[in-house]
Amino acid sequence: MAKKIFFCEGDMKISIAQMQVHEGDVEKNFETSLGMIEKACSADSRIVLFPELFLSGFDYPNLQNLSKKMPEYINKLLEKSADIAICGTFLENINDEIFNTFYCLYEKKVMLKYSKVKLFEVTKEDDYFCPGNKNQENTFDLFGIKFGVCICFELRFPEILRKAALKGAEVLLVSAIWPVERLNAWRKLSAARAIENQAFVATCNANDKSGKWICAGHSSVYDPNGTLLSSAYNQTTIKTISIDPEYAKNVREKFPSLIKAYDLNCAGG
């Protein structure tokens, strides 16, 4: 396992764990994720990001049963989080209501829980999932850095990550199962969120087939100027890249375009 690190000084290594999410096969997905966590630790990464619902996929007919298994697997991942932060989304069952919830696990603690607010009606997510509270927190602090998060379809709603950026988030994390037919939007929206928020954006998507969907892959890291730093393209792989969160602060200081909407004088003059 990697050496425990509490604060970020200069570059920080982040890993994006692009994998095939086998719908409904929790054990197989879990074994894949363990291997990727070990690789991230071997690369001295401080955080590893997984796709949306990376243990279960969107197995609609079995969501209730699958969701009840999640606490056991989350506890197993908590044990693996002593020296590396593990991020991704899980099924969460609250009084038999199902949420798609982003967790950040570190030092055997839950650092953040954020439930998906914008459900994707095209694939009937809203028939099976409850939306998260729109006022919930979507940032967390780790290694002296503020992170922001959103989940899949929410990438299309700039307000969600802007909310995190206005709270000081320098690194934005996106966990997704995004289809190949909308690959162009996936890439352009990811770069746009980086540019408009002057932040690093790390995305993690599934690749290959998950249920009836062919996933786009192309998990990537963009810098605050929207420049692509690394991509997994369509492979099952883990990509580790060094980023310097201080660079986001420098970009914001040199070109201060990150302002609150009500600061704009839209009336002109």
Side-chain angles (χ1 to χ4, degrees):
M1 299 291 285
K3 182 175 68 175
K4 187 177 292 186
I5 304 169
F6 295 96
F7 298 99
C8 181
E9 297 179 359
D11 286 359
M12 175 191 73
K13 288 186 178 180
I14 184 169
S15 295
I16 46 177
Q18 182 167 289
M19 57 183 277
Q20 182 178 7
V21 175
H22 296 275
E23 192 174 274
D25 196 340
V26 176
E27 191 59 33
K28 186 169 187 174
N29 294 326
F30 181 67
E31 289 302 317
T32 299
S33 69
L34 289 182
M36 290 188 158
I37 291 168
E38 289 301 321
K39 288 180 181 178
C41 287
S42 296
D44 292 327
S45 186
R46 300 187 187 182
I47 188 166
V48 57
L49 176 65
F50 284 96
E52 183 180 20
L53 298 181
F54 67 99
L55 293 186
S56 63
F58 286 91
D59 187 1
Y60 286 157
N62 298 305
L63 288 185
Q64 280 289 339
N65 289 334
L66 290 170
S67 66
K68 291 172 183 177
K69 294 181 180 181
M70 287 303 109
E72 172 191 353
Y73 286 91
I74 291 171
N75 284 335
K76 290 178 180 179
L77 290 173
L78 277 168
E79 290 301 312
K80 296 291 183 180
S81 72
D83 302 308
I84 187 169
I86 301 170
C87 298
T89 90
F90 300 86
L91 297 173
E92 183 176 35
N93 188 316
I94 302 176
N95 298 322
D96 288 333
E97 292 185 328
I98 308 298
F99 295 83
N100 182 348
T101 302
F102 186 104
Y103 279 68
C104 175
L105 313 175
Y106 183 61
E107 289 190 321
K108 303 184 180 183
K109 294 180 289 189
V110 177
M111 308 301 295
L112 175 76
K113 283 173 49 174
Y114 165 80
S115 296
K116 191 175 185 178
V117 176
K118 297 293 186 180
L119 301 175
F120 192 43
E121 296 178 1
V122 174
T123 57
K124 309 293 185 184
E125 273 188 42
D126 55 323
D127 286 350
Y128 296 91
F129 291 86
C130 292
N133 187 321
K134 66 180 180 180
N135 295 318
Q136 68 189 302
E137 185 62 63
N138 71 328
T139 63
F140 63 96
D141 295 286
L142 209 56
F143 316 123
I145 302 163
K146 188 172 286 291
F147 294 84
V149 307
C150 79
I151 302 170
C152 201
F153 184 49
E154 294 182 330
L155 186 64
R156 291 182 177 271
F157 298 87
E159 300 86 356
I160 293 175
L161 289 180
R162 174 53 62 95
K163 172 185 170 183
L166 289 174
K167 290 186 176 181
E170 300 114 356
V171 182
L172 306 174
L173 307 176
V174 185
S175 179
I177 286 186
W178 195 284
V180 71
E181 59 264 33
R182 289 185 284 278
L183 171 59
N184 185 53
W186 169 248
R187 296 168 71 179
K188 290 185 176 179
L189 288 167
S190 299
R193 299 294 87 87
I195 294 167
E196 70 194 7
N197 292 306
Q198 297 180 306
F200 287 94
V201 170
T203 67
C204 193
N205 189 21
N207 68 303
D208 211 324
K209 189 175 182 181
S210 184
K212 64 182 180 180
W213 294 294
I214 303 298
C215 300
H218 285 74
S219 303
S220 300
V221 179
Y222 296 84
D223 78 4
N225 298 308
T227 302
L228 178 64
L229 301 179
S230 183
S231 177
Y233 298 103
N234 60 1
Q235 303 170 356
T236 295
T237 188
I238 185 161
K239 289 282 186 178
T240 298
I241 186 167
S242 293
I243 62 173
D244 183 0
E246 284 294 320
Y247 179 63
K249 294 178 182 178
N250 294 338
V251 169
R252 291 171 181 179
E253 289 172 1
K254 291 180 180 178
F255 190 72
S257 66
L258 184 65
I259 56 177
K260 297 179 181 178
Y262 56 72
D263 289 335
L264 293 171
N265 183 6
C266 296

